[in-house]
Amino acid sequence: MKENPYHLFFKVLSTDLRAKIINLLEKKPRTVNEIVKQLKTDQSKISHNLHKLALCNIVTSKRKGKTKIYSLKKQTIIPILNLVNQHFCTYCNKKCKAKGEYKWKFI
């Protein structure tokens, strides 16, 4: 049986580390080493999670010499993240513990 595309898409976004990677890449494209340094996480974990994000085209990469530079898929992912943020800030009820913690604005 074919898996639901919504389930697959949101499953890829569902880890804290991937959310942190997305937040970093929202600001500017980065190499794996830059992400490792910023997040203070093992290189293998960062690479594994970037691979998962790339499988759904949430991130893309360009090779510059021996280095890969990762960035968000701006045509589709940035608008989706803006809608999620707007929905969250508007409709998350008062009982939601996370309300107010996340006020990201994606360009």
Side-chain angles (χ1 to χ4, degrees):
M1 189 163 130
K2 201 172 183 181
E3 199 163 1
N4 182 314
Y6 299 124
H7 180 257
L8 289 172
F9 181 79
F10 287 108
K11 183 177 176 181
V12 169
L13 296 175
S14 68
T15 72
D16 190 46
L17 182 55
R18 291 181 199 152
K20 288 176 181 178
I21 291 170
I22 289 168
N23 194 36
L24 278 178
L25 294 177
E26 180 268 327
K27 295 174 181 109
K28 70 175 190 174
R30 297 176 192 264
T31 65
V32 172
N33 289 334
E34 290 172 327
I35 297 169
V36 166
K37 193 181 229 182
Q38 285 287 315
L39 298 181
K40 297 176 175 81
T41 304
D42 294 336
Q43 184 269 328
S44 61
K45 285 183 182 178
I46 298 297
S47 293
H48 172 78
N49 283 282
L50 282 168
H51 176 74
K52 295 284 187 179
L53 291 167
L55 287 174
C56 281
N57 284 307
I58 293 168
V59 299
T60 59
S61 64
K62 289 184 182 178
R63 194 167 282 285
K64 188 173 184 181
K66 293 182 179 182
T67 305
K68 272 188 175 181
I69 300 171
Y70 291 88
S71 59
L72 290 178
K73 183 88 172 179
K74 292 190 187 295
Q75 301 90 323
T76 55
I77 298 305
I78 297 297
I80 290 169
L81 295 176
N82 280 331
L83 284 171
V84 169
N85 187 47
Q86 181 182 357
H87 177 86
F88 183 81
C89 290
T90 304
Y91 299 108
C92 185
N93 67 38
K94 292 178 183 176
K95 294 178 183 178
C96 180
K97 293 178 184 177
K99 185 155 176 92
E101 287 182 29
Y102 303 103
K103 292 187 179 176
W104 296 344
K105 178 64 179 166
F106 297 94
I107 301 170

